[in-house]
Structures are given as structure tokens and as C-alpha cells.
Amino acid sequence: MKIILSSNSPRRKELLAGLGVDFEVKVIDGVDESYPDTLPASDVAEYIAREKAAAYSAVADELVITADTVVVVGADILGKPHDALAAHAMLREISGKTHQVVTGVCMKTQKEQHSFSVATNVTFKELSDNEIDYYIKNFRPFDKAGAYGIQEWIGYIGVTGIEGSYYNVMGFPVQRVYEELTRRFGVEIGNVSKKL
């Protein structure tokens, strides 16, 4: 089965490659990433992942993987900041608190579609304005939900606790993806198959 990763994220590409899976990247631009206001914050990422999958017409022998990640603080969803001011506001909002990172994934073949969400709780220390400004200036986290990458400087100095998948916080719950690929879709990775 040919695996298609429909994502521009270099982190998702790196994590999927880490499984030893052969895949190619194909992205459909212009997918509407809006969602109903009535949707619970914890369901938004999976909803958007399904919308991304709906834009892709899988052909026989293709398995398309789409994903979306959101940062949830209380009932608020933090997406990607559009500038330094928005990034600063987001980092100030997660400072000194525990928030949830939710990644929704959709896997689609010509015959079947399966989606799921994985949530991870992340706790940050109280960040100073200098720390926030240094991070934004040097790492420009404008392509990251919640305005941070846990694998970057801000994660090194700011994260005091994590409950759940670290890789999910990077934007791709690679352990769960592996389970779905091998067990649900029968993808063989090396000598590993759903027969295990």
C-alpha cells in the first residue's frame, strides 16, 4: 500500500520517516480549516483532519494520512500566531499553567476512513517576558499551534511536566499512528505486521 502524508509539517514528515515507512508527501492547498462554534475544543483537531482528508480522493492502493494539532487552554483554542504580538499573547496565556495539546489524525483509503485524537497535558513554568521575547525573536514560532515547539529552546527551559505522548506535542502521535498502520491497515514495517 502506498502511504501519502498530506501535510506541510516538517515535524510530521520527520516523525513518520522515523517509523521506517516509505511514504510521499502530497498536500492539497486551500482546505477550509474552519469548524463549527458548537464543537468542543477537544474535537476540533480531529474534525479538521477529517476535512483535510475529504479534500483528497484516495485511489486504489493508497492510504492518505492527514493531521491537525491545536493547543487547548481551558475552553480556548490557540492556533498558529500570525505575528510576534499574537505569539507573545499565546505564550503568556500558557505560562504557569497546564494546557492540553490535541492532535487529530485521519487515515483514509478508497474503502475506509478512520480518525482519532490523542491528547497530551503540558505544564509550563511561569515564563518571563524576556524569555518569551527571546524565544519569539530567535525561533519565530509562527507555524506552530500555541506559538511553541516543545523540541525547541522554550521547551528546554519552560516545560516542567508532561503527561502523555511527547511526539503528540510535536504534532504527530507517532506511536498511535504506528498501531493503526500495522493493526488496522495491515501495513508491514520491516518484519512487523498486524499478525503480531
Side-chain angles (χ1 to χ4, degrees):
M1 187 177 292
K2 186 177 183 182
I3 297 174
I4 307 294
L5 176 64
S6 187
S7 174
N8 278 320
S9 167
R11 291 163 296 281
R12 290 187 185 123
K13 183 178 177 182
E14 174 189 346
L15 290 171
L16 185 57
L19 287 180
V21 174
D22 289 328
F23 67 95
E24 64 181 84
V25 175
K26 287 184 185 175
V27 179
I28 295 177
D29 295 321
V31 176
D32 181 12
E33 295 191 20
S34 62
Y35 52 88
D37 293 339
T38 55
L39 200 62
S42 59
D43 295 341
V44 167
E46 188 174 341
Y47 176 90
I48 294 172
R50 285 195 304 265
E51 290 296 295
K52 290 177 179 178
Y56 197 101
S57 297
V59 298
D61 86 335
E62 277 188 352
L63 169 61
V64 178
I65 302 173
T66 60
D68 193 75
T69 302
V70 296
V71 170
V72 181
V73 183
D76 296 334
I77 294 175
L78 304 183
K80 296 174 184 174
H82 54 272
D83 59 21
L85 197 60
H88 193 284
M90 288 182 184
L91 290 168
R92 176 57 49 224
E93 189 168 353
I94 65 174
S95 174
K97 298 177 187 169
T98 298
H99 64 272
Q100 195 169 64
V101 178
V102 182
T103 299
V105 177
C106 187
M107 302 172 120
K108 177 181 178 180
T109 65
Q110 200 173 39
K111 297 178 181 178
E112 178 183 2
Q113 179 171 303
H114 175 63
S115 64
F116 58 88
S117 292
V118 175
T120 304
N121 293 325
V122 181
T123 304
F124 266 85
K125 72 166 192 157
E126 193 70 45
L127 298 167
S128 71
D129 284 334
N130 283 344
E131 288 167 336
I132 291 173
D133 291 339
Y134 173 85
Y135 175 65
I136 294 169
K137 180 181 178 186
N138 289 282
F139 292 87
R140 303 183 57 77
F142 308 126
D143 65 335
K144 296 175 177 72
Y148 78 93
I150 195 169
Q151 72 279 13
E152 295 176 339
W153 183 84
I154 199 80
Y156 300 165
I157 65 100
V159 174
T160 61
I162 182 170
E163 182 183 352
S165 167
Y166 171 83
Y167 298 108
N168 186 55
V169 184
M170 286 178 65
F172 202 59
V174 71
Q175 187 277 330
R176 176 71 183 274
V177 168
Y178 170 81
E179 292 296 325
E180 300 292 342
L181 284 173
T182 56
R183 297 184 189 282
R184 177 177 291 271
F185 292 98
V187 173
E188 292 193 10
I189 299 171
N191 292 323
V192 180
S193 74
K194 67 180 180 179
K195 296 174 185 175
L196 287 181

